[in-house]
Amino acid sequence: MMEETLRAYKERLEKALSDLPMEGAPDILKESMRYSLLSGGKRLRGCLLLSACEMAGGNIQDALPFACALEMIHAYSLIHDDLPAMDDDTMRRGKPTNHVVYGEAVAILAGDALLTHAFEIMAQSAHPSAFQALGEIARAAGISGMIAGQTLDVTMEGSKPEKELVEKIHLGKTAALLTAPITAGLMLAGASEAQIAAGREFGMHLGVAFQIVDDILDLEGDPALMGKTLGKDQAEGKLTWPACVGLNQAKADAKQHIDSAVSALVPFGKKAEFLQALAISTLHRVQ
């Protein structure tokens, strides 16, 4: 059931993303943007937004531009992550990374373009809660959210792994952009403040667990399934949760966060079953 629902959300998102006209972009820029945006992936952030909106009784069609925007923001962040100045990765989802195909200059511009175009798409919405949802996503992607986490991630390499610092990196680098889809989706559905607070707690715990599992997969995942080079975190002295607490405790901590995420959505009753099942599946992901 969960897999079928996820597939339906993903198919709707894929079509909406492939239909984006990207008017005015030079051909090479459009090609580079589409190369990363349409290269597959879980579409987790967009699906989270659509499902959160539907969980609170909202209209998926109203939420679709914001779900697309989140996927564009995520794609931009991956393009920039892979650059030689950042993680210096040459493979992403089993394909050469954007800068390998198009060169660093065009890759940087494609990332910039995806980010700015995402906000243009959200700003075109006439939904009464559009500005509130846009602001929520902007904060999550910005200087106190994803960018803050990424900054700490790259500048603290090689330092002693400390739980407080690693948790701060995880909250910004990953959890912020997994929480915003939930809260923005709820806002677009006209949810109450209490419901939005419950969604925020769910997203935070899901995001931290997701990053812990990512850290674990970098140590013991299958490179063929992951579609990227593994073992780089340890080799480069990245601050990871397993480096702080060990592999077994990291697995236990991931489960504890997922348990907390599931509990946070209890007020939504049966309407939360999809998101709760999706959270639980995070513990068993292989890519």
Side-chain angles (χ1 to χ4, degrees), residues 38-52:
L38 305 180
S39 66
K42 292 178 280 291
R43 301 299 184 205
L44 178 60
R45 289 149 190 83
C47 290
L48 285 173
L49 191 145
L50 296 179
S51 59

Side-chain angles (χ1 to χ4, degrees), residues 16-65:
L17 289 168
S18 65
D19 288 346
L20 288 173
M22 299 182 180
E23 293 176 0
D27 289 345
I28 187 65
L29 178 62
K30 187 185 296 187
E31 185 181 323
S32 179
M33 291 167 71
R34 288 186 178 278
Y35 179 81
S36 291
L37 182 62
L38 305 180
S39 66
K42 292 178 280 291
R43 301 299 184 205
L44 178 60
R45 289 149 190 83
C47 290
L48 285 173
L49 191 145
L50 296 179
S51 59
C53 182
E54 193 167 50
M55 177 177 69
N59 187 329
I60 285 185
Q61 194 60 35
D62 291 337
L64 201 54

Side-chain angles (χ1 to χ4, degrees), residues 55-269:
M55 177 177 69
N59 187 329
I60 285 185
Q61 194 60 35
D62 291 337
L64 201 54
F66 296 84
C68 288
L70 272 164
E71 289 299 326
M72 295 170 76
I73 292 169
H74 181 54
Y76 119 78
S77 73
L78 297 182
I79 292 173
H80 285 192
D81 272 358
D82 291 336
L83 290 168
M86 298 281 280
D87 289 347
D88 195 15
D89 277 316
T90 57
M91 296 293 291
R92 168 75 64 179
R93 294 169 181 157
K95 296 167 58 179
T97 46
N98 198 296
H99 69 272
V100 171
V101 178
Y102 296 98
E104 287 183 49
V106 171
I108 292 169
L109 292 169
D112 294 345
L114 284 165
L115 174 62
T116 50
H117 196 46
F119 285 94
E120 182 181 355
I121 287 170
M122 289 188 286
Q124 289 170 351
S125 172
H127 192 282
S129 296
F131 185 74
Q132 184 186 16
L134 186 155
E136 186 76 2
I137 291 169
R139 280 188 293 275
I143 60 173
S144 62
M146 181 179 68
I147 298 299
Q150 293 282 49
T151 301
L152 290 173
D153 189 42
V154 299
T155 59
M156 300 303 290
E157 282 183 13
S159 60
K160 182 181 177 182
E162 296 179 352
K163 292 169 69 173
E164 186 177 346
L165 176 58
V166 175
E167 185 174 64
K168 194 171 183 180
I169 291 172
H170 286 185
L171 286 170
K173 177 182 173 181
T174 305
L177 220 57
L178 287 178
T179 302
I182 302 295
T183 50
L186 292 173
M187 290 169 183
L188 292 167
S192 67
E193 288 300 320
Q195 288 176 320
I196 293 170
R200 196 177 302 282
E201 184 178 354
F202 170 83
M204 184 273 290
H205 285 294
L206 173 65
V208 172
F210 191 93
Q211 185 57 54
I212 291 174
V213 172
D214 216 49
D215 291 347
I216 292 168
L217 286 172
D218 189 68
L219 293 173
E220 59 179 27
D222 184 337
L225 292 174
M226 294 289 285
K228 61 181 182 179
T229 307
L230 300 186
K232 291 191 68 178
D233 289 349
Q234 191 173 35
E236 295 173 359
K238 290 275 189 182
L239 299 184
T240 68
W241 201 247
C244 287
V245 301
L247 198 54
N248 289 336
Q249 186 60 47
K251 291 177 181 179
D253 290 343
K255 184 182 184 306
Q256 186 174 3
H257 277 291
I258 292 301
D259 289 345
S260 296
V262 169
S263 296
L265 294 188
V266 166
F268 288 94

